[in-house]
Amino acid sequence: VRAAMAIVKTLADFHDDGVVYNSLNTRDVVLSLSPTEEGYSATFIDLSRSVIVSGDDFSGESIDKVRAKENDLRTLGKLLYQVFGGSLEDLDPARIHSDYGDDGFVPTRKRGKHQLLREGLPIYLGSLISALLDHALLSTGVCYSDARDVYHDLKVYVDDASGQLGRIDLDDDMMTSRLRLPQNMFYGRQAQMSLILHLFQTSIEFGNVPVPQMAMISGCPGSGKSTLVDQLKQPLIDLGGCFIEGKFDKAMRPDTVLATALDRYFGGILETSKFVGNVQVSLRWRIHDILGSTENNPFLEMLPNLKAWLSEDSSQFSATQSNDIIGMGSSGLAVSSQRVKYLFCKLIGAMASRSSPLILFLDDLQWADETTLDIARMIMTDPDITHFLFLGSYRDTEVNRSHPLISKLNTMEEQGVTVVDVKVGPIQKEVVNTMISEILYTPPSLCRPLSSIIHSKTGGVIMFILRFLQTLNADDKLWFNMGGKRWMYDLDKIRHTEIQDDVVSHMTHQMARLSKDMRMGLMFAACLGRKFPSSVLAKATKHEVTDAFTQTCIDYGFFQLDDVNVYMWQHDQVQQAAYELIPKNKQDSYHLLIGTRLYMDTPDEKMKDLIFFVVDNMNHGVALINDHDKRTEVAQLNLQAGEKALSSSAFQSASEYLLAGISFLDTESWSTDYDLALRLYDAASEALFVVGEFDTLMTIVEEPLRMAKCFEDKLNLYNNMIRTHSCTSMVENGISTCLSIISQLGEDFPTEITAEIYHREAQEVKRLLHGKTKNDLLSLPTMTDSNSLGAMHFLSHLLSLAFNTRPALSPIAVFRLVRMTLRKGMCNNSAFAFACYAGWLVSDPVNDVEAGYYMGKIQ
């Protein structure tokens, strides 16, 4: 190729000096070694046929002389073919036919072996030679008109460090003229990549940085934000690091994304045994120190693969490590929410180390939930987390200054975090040309007319460019010519091709041209969300969709295989395009049909595995379900989904499912389905409290408080009301509610505290404790009376509420807690009672430090 470059350079110099060599052949070229870039120098001899022309003649004033230059380029093609090992017999004029007529017009699409270039010639070089030989293509813009362009294209081939342009073999797609696009193409992002690599080096390789740093990558859909981040995977692997990625979905549960991403990562560790030896033991110990025992640990229920990995060698961990690290009982759900955030933060910290640095990438943060954003804030502001880099991406077209994401980023900056904003915009015209050149294995000069039109029509959005190329291929405007072994295109037809304003509309238009079965399959798949098992798709379509459909979708670039028999949309824009195939007035009907099919085709024992698919689709059809019994069934399914989400600490999703379930109830439900109604309202009030939707909580509890059959059925609702009062500074309301409930539970609590009452309550507790040893107290029976348990719970609430606003009530609440424990037995609140009593003993006016220390040891 370098020899060819030397020959072409000499011919270009001739043309630049106004000389047409006229019928160049191998006998006229002398090659010699040279220290130049090419490594050779080429000298032309026998100038007897050469013609001297002026520069103007090349612009079209002398047709004969321009044709002489074209003849130079054509003979250059033959000469280069010989340099690359071909035979002139292959180029017998009788066997050479262009896909174009003499006037450059394309009468029909032809794929026959018109021009047999030798086997073993790289497609790129074959395209170059074919373009030199096909002089009739000059008017179409897909042929060479200047030797200098040929030189530059040969130089591109030589400088191709990846070797991608050296491809020789023709696959089945090329032989059938089908364009297959490579995955994760990366073009035109050098500035952005340099910025992220700098963050990578400072945060990952160096570890301790004086100011925590993170990067937020913003751009329009399909601009290549995720592909930009993918470039960090290999450097991180080279350092022995971990890459964890999660993607938010507009239609799915955002509060499960982080847990799913982490669990998927640990699933990969289980399969590949990534960590071995001391590294594995060290990582296990660090994680175990944070999470505690694997037994009965609700946090690990969210991460089954992590639990399995920790359990592989659980014998080395001490059984004394308590599972008290996290409690998920109904009375402690708010604390559990904070603990979940804390544990996610500390888990990331335990995973990131000098020997195993970590990158966490969360995509499409414009759809992130408040909990995940808060976890990200906690991670970035934790000084103990080093050798870690957080990367996020979002669509700047969907985020304004008031968006929760921007508010959270502003908070991080106020807390000392450096947020580096990386803008990813459309790629430039020359970058588009390079990309198309490499996709088509075609020299850049031959692609320039095509890339210019494509850039103009697509605005330089990478995903739009790729989909438009596929459309041109499907419409026979871009095809592979077997004779010339190169991709060809009809520039005039492409120029007049109408195109939609955005990539989603364009893809929807193209999908609408597919067969009916393909369209139906795509519409059903679009309703299932970003990711779905093949079994779910089969049930949704009543087994009408076959493996051939999914394979065709993979071939078209609609799906990609995410796991064994699990498919994922190539991009959410592709899913959206397929979804828009469904008429807007029928979208709810499609969802309801799918949800019903999944429900009817799934046994009860397997419903928990598909509950989210079922309920997500059925809820779309709420307006279409009028029958009371059917609405009750859907309400029951929403309760099941909500409780499953609660068990996974997906509180936002849980609240949405439970509120949806409530919406399916009617006035008759309290008489016909009392337990269902009560469970929905109870669970919804808890979920709403955790996510901070206090106004909604206070609104929905009014009905169950009015309709409940007994006082005991109201207790959980009151519990969440009081916690809401505490969080919204309505302390007096909370205190009055506590006092009322405690009274109704049989505990007569004084509302006005006098010195006499105070002294009497204190002496009663001292009397009950007199003579009791530590073993006596620890041997107390378990409290079983439901009213007493409830009173203990609300007394604890009262103590917390009154501590600052009505301090006289606090010691009385402590005395009652201890007294009930001594009389009725131990419960979860007893430890709190003894600790508070110990605090009272060491305070004024008692100041009995020894007794306080003793009681503190009891708790």
Side-chain angles (χ1 to χ4, degrees):
V1 176
R2 293 184 181 277
M5 287 175 64
I7 295 170
V8 176
K9 184 177 181 181
T10 300
L11 182 61
D13 290 342
F14 267 62
H15 289 176
D16 289 346
D17 291 336
V19 178
V20 174
Y21 190 84
N22 203 4
S23 299
L24 184 66
N25 59 63
T26 56
R27 296 187 303 273
D28 302 328
V29 179
V30 175
L31 283 172
S32 58
L33 295 174
S34 168
T36 61
E37 181 180 6
E38 298 81 29
Y40 296 91
S41 62
T43 303
F44 294 173
I45 59 175
D46 188 4
L47 304 180
S48 59
R49 296 183 301 277
S50 300
V51 179
I52 299 175
V53 295
S54 67
D56 291 340
D57 288 329
F58 283 157
S59 64
E61 292 183 8
S62 174
I63 300 300
D64 291 339
K65 292 174 182 178
V66 170
R67 285 179 176 172
K69 183 183 177 183
E70 293 175 8
N71 185 57
D72 263 5
L73 294 174
R74 186 167 62 255
T75 55
L76 175 64
K78 293 180 180 180
L79 189 150
L80 295 184
Y81 186 59
Q82 291 175 281
V83 169
F84 297 146
S87 169
L88 287 178
E89 293 180 359
D90 296 338
L91 307 179
D92 184 349
R95 301 166 66 190
I96 297 176
H97 300 281
S98 170
D99 279 4
Y100 294 76
D102 291 337
D103 57 357
F105 175 70
V106 188
T108 57
R109 174 174 175 178
K110 300 180 181 179
R111 300 179 185 169
K113 293 186 178 180
H114 306 148
Q115 192 168 299
L116 302 180
L117 299 181
R118 75 171 182 85
E119 297 296 327
L121 187 65
I123 299 171
Y124 182 95
L125 296 178
S127 299
L128 183 146
I129 291 171
S130 179
L132 286 169
L133 297 173
D134 282 347
H135 64 284
L137 306 185
L138 183 59
S139 62
T140 69
V142 292
C143 177
Y144 285 108
S145 60
D146 193 319
R148 194 66 65 184
D149 290 338
V150 182
Y151 175 83
H152 288 307
D153 288 343
L154 288 171
K155 188 175 186 303
V156 168
Y157 182 86
V158 169
D159 293 342
D160 176 34
S162 66
Q164 178 180 346
L165 298 179
R167 177 174 177 176
I168 295 175
D169 59 304
L170 303 182
D171 57 22
D172 291 340
D173 289 318
M174 283 187 175
M175 295 181 73
T176 56
S177 196
R178 182 171 181 175
L179 181 64
R180 182 181 289 274
L181 299 174
Q183 299 297 319
N184 298 322
M185 291 182 292
F186 183 68
Y187 292 92
R189 306 296 186 204
Q190 285 71 26
Q192 293 90 339
M193 193 66 217
S194 296
L195 185 56
I196 294 178
L197 280 175
H198 174 72
L199 291 175
F200 174 83
Q201 290 171 344
T202 55
S203 301
I204 295 291
E205 296 186 25
F206 303 147
N208 285 307
V209 290
V211 178
Q213 303 175 109
M214 60 181 285
M216 293 301 297
I217 305 165
S218 60
C220 66
S223 58
K225 301 183 292 295
S226 302
T227 305
L228 175 64
V229 176
D230 285 342
Q231 308 310 305
L232 290 177
K233 288 183 179 178
Q234 191 56 50
L236 186 64
I237 291 172
D238 293 342
L239 291 173
C242 315
F243 188 93
I244 299 175
E245 57 184 323
K247 183 178 177 65
F248 292 91
D249 188 335
K250 185 177 183 180
M252 301 303 288
R253 300 172 300 282
D255 44 8
T256 62
V257 169
L258 183 57
T260 301
L262 284 164
D263 196 54
R264 183 183 179 91
Y265 173 77
F266 282 104
I269 292 179
L270 283 171
E271 294 176 0
T272 61
S273 300
K274 173 181 172 63
F275 297 108
V276 295
N278 292 335
V279 175
Q280 175 169 274
V281 172
S282 176
L283 179 59
R284 273 205 176 104
W285 271 110
R286 294 198 304 270
I287 294 177
H288 188 270
D289 285 345
I290 296 298
L291 302 183
S293 171
T294 58
E295 298 299 323
N296 301 317
N297 190 330
F299 181 77
L300 285 177
E301 297 305 316
M302 301 162 54
L303 305 166
N305 286 324
L306 172 57
K307 182 178 181 180
W309 183 68
L310 290 174
S311 300
E312 282 184 342
D313 195 16
S314 59
S315 59
Q316 63 177 297
F317 302 125
S318 171
T320 60
Q321 297 269 353
S322 171
N323 58 18
D324 292 342
I325 192 164
I326 182 168
M328 297 292 286
S330 61
S331 63
L333 198 55
V335 178
S336 298
S337 174
Q338 293 302 318
R339 284 179 175 171
V340 166
K341 295 177 185 179
Y342 171 82
L343 290 175
F344 271 125
C345 176
K346 292 304 179 183
L347 176 59
I348 293 294
M351 294 172 64
S353 66
R354 180 183 296 276
S355 60
S356 180
L358 172 65
I359 289 179
L360 174 62
F361 171 51
L362 296 180
D363 195 7
D364 281 332
L365 281 169
Q366 72 275 0
W367 296 321
D369 61 299
E370 179 68 25
T371 299
T372 305
L373 293 177
D374 208 37
I375 292 172
R377 179 195 60 79
M378 292 172 66
I379 292 172
M380 291 309 304
T381 54
D382 189 332
D384 296 329
I385 298 179
T386 60
H387 300 281
F388 168 78
L389 178 61
F390 177 73
L391 301 174
S393 73
Y394 65 92
R395 298 179 181 178
D396 53 11
T397 54
E398 300 185 29
V399 173
N400 55 32
R401 291 182 179 181
S402 61
H403 194 279
L405 172 62
I406 301 302
S407 299
K408 191 64 67 175
L409 292 176
N410 291 337
T411 301
M412 292 186 198
E413 290 183 321
E414 291 170 1
Q415 295 178 337
V417 178
T418 298
V419 180
V420 179
D421 193 11
V422 181
K423 298 285 188 182
V424 177
I427 57 177
Q428 301 300 313
K429 184 184 296 185
E430 194 57 36
V431 177
V432 174
N433 189 60
T434 301
M435 181 174 72
I436 293 176
S437 169
E438 294 184 5
I439 290 173
L440 303 180
Y441 303 98
T442 300
S445 299
L446 301 179
C447 294
R448 192 159 283 110
L450 173 64
S451 64
S452 179
I453 294 175
I454 290 178
H455 182 272
S456 174
K457 288 182 176 290
T458 62
V461 178
I462 291 180
M463 187 177 182
F464 205 169
I465 293 168
L466 299 179
R467 293 296 168 181
F468 188 48
L469 281 172
Q470 287 184 315
T471 299
L472 296 178
N473 180 231
D475 291 346
D476 291 346
K477 297 171 185 176
L478 174 68
W479 68 96
F480 190 78
N481 170 242
M482 287 295 295
K485 287 188 179 177
R486 65 160 167 157
W487 286 94
M488 307 285 287
Y489 54 86
D490 188 333
L491 199 62
D492 190 55
K493 287 185 178 180
I494 293 172
R495 185 179 290 111
H496 291 92
T497 297
E498 294 185 1
I499 188 171
Q500 283 70 29
D501 293 335
D502 60 89
V503 65
V504 171
S505 300
H506 174 75
M507 285 189 290
T508 301
H509 179 74
Q510 297 305 313
M511 290 175 178
R513 301 164 58 185
L514 299 173
S515 67
K516 180 180 178 181
D517 290 344
M518 279 293 296
R519 295 198 308 273
M520 290 299 297
L522 287 170
M523 289 188 287
F524 278 112
C527 293
L528 294 176
R530 177 172 170 262
K531 187 187 301 184
F532 49 86
S534 56
S535 58
V536 172
L537 180 61
K539 289 181 179 182
T541 59
K542 297 197 73 171
H543 303 276
E544 294 173 0
V545 169
T546 63
D547 291 339
F549 165 77
T550 52
Q551 185 57 50
T552 302
C553 287
I554 291 175
D555 293 341
Y556 277 131
F558 300 152
F559 295 170
Q560 65 185 39
L561 198 59
D562 183 63
D563 203 345
V564 179
N565 296 323
V566 177
Y567 296 94
M568 182 171 67
W569 289 95
Q570 189 73 31
H571 194 280
D572 54 74
Q573 296 285 90
V574 182
Q575 179 190 355
Q576 184 62 32
Y579 189 72
E580 292 190 5
L581 287 171
I582 309 173
K584 289 190 180 298
N585 62 344
K586 294 185 178 180
Q587 289 173 354
D588 290 345
S589 299
Y590 268 76
H591 281 290
L592 182 58
L593 174 62
I594 290 171
T596 303
R597 285 180 173 179
L598 293 177
Y599 176 60
M600 299 297 293
D601 201 20
T602 304
D604 290 342
E605 62 272 15
K606 293 185 178 180
M607 181 56 67
K608 64 179 182 180
D609 298 326
L610 297 184
I611 187 65
F612 294 132
F613 283 109
V614 173
V615 174
D616 286 339
N617 281 283
M618 280 193 169
N619 286 348
H620 276 276
V622 58
L624 304 175
I625 306 174
N626 298 314
D627 181 75
H628 173 80
D629 291 340
K630 291 180 180 178
R631 291 180 69 86
T632 301
E633 276 188 284
V634 180
Q636 180 68 51
L637 289 169
N638 272 280
L639 175 62
Q640 188 175 344
E643 291 179 337
K644 182 175 180 179
L646 277 176
S647 68
S648 300
S649 300
F651 302 113
Q652 183 64 49
S653 298
S655 67
E656 292 171 2
Y657 287 127
L658 295 165
L659 288 175
I662 289 172
S663 71
F664 281 98
L665 301 177
D666 53 34
T667 53
E668 297 180 12
S669 298
W670 284 105
S671 56
T672 59
D673 301 283
Y674 178 82
D675 289 341
L676 170 62
L678 186 64
R679 285 176 63 189
L680 276 169
Y681 278 100
D682 268 356
S685 67
E686 294 204 18
L688 289 168
F689 173 76
V690 175
V691 298
E693 295 186 21
F694 302 127
D695 290 341
T696 305
L697 188 158
M698 296 303 292
T699 299
I700 69 162
V701 297
E702 293 177 1
E703 182 173 337
L705 288 176
R706 186 176 67 254
M707 303 299 295
K709 293 180 179 179
C710 61
F711 177 69
E712 287 74 13
D713 287 347
K714 302 178 183 180
L715 288 179
N716 195 49
L717 297 164
Y718 279 129
N719 174 54
N720 293 316
M721 278 182 62
I722 291 169
R723 291 193 294 168
T724 299
H725 288 321
S726 177
C727 292
T728 55
S729 301
M730 299 176 65
V731 177
E732 284 298 329
N733 288 355
I735 291 174
S736 60
T737 304
C738 276
L739 291 172
S740 173
I741 294 170
I742 291 168
S743 176
Q744 293 181 71
L745 288 169
E747 189 69 17
D748 187 18
F749 196 96
T751 56
E752 297 296 331
I753 309 301
T754 64
E756 180 183 354
I757 292 174
Y758 178 88
H759 180 72
R760 185 176 67 244
E761 295 283 341
Q763 289 302 314
E764 176 65 14
V765 173
K766 286 184 178 181
R767 184 186 67 79
L768 291 171
L769 283 171
H770 182 70
K772 294 273 194 308
T773 66
K774 178 179 178 181
N775 288 335
D776 291 336
L777 295 175
L778 293 177
S779 300
L780 288 170
T782 301
M783 187 181 295
T784 56
D785 179 64
S786 60
N787 280 5
S788 298
L789 288 168
M792 289 286 288
H793 186 76
F794 284 98
L795 280 168
S796 298
H797 276 319
L798 177 63
L799 175 57
S800 300
L801 288 164
F803 188 78
N804 288 320
T805 56
R806 294 175 66 179
L809 293 176
S810 293
I812 308 302
V814 173
F815 299 150
R816 291 297 179 93
L817 284 166
V818 175
R819 191 174 75 181
M820 290 186 66
T821 296
L822 295 172
R823 288 178 172 175
K824 303 292 182 68
M826 289 281 193
C827 68
N828 288 340
N829 289 296
S830 296
F832 178 56
F834 285 128
C836 291
Y837 186 65
W840 176 78
L841 287 172
V842 300
S843 303
D844 288 333
V846 183
N847 294 320
D848 190 344
V849 176
E850 184 176 348
Y853 175 72
Y854 178 78
M855 291 305 301
K857 291 179 68 176
I858 296 296
Q859 69 93 18

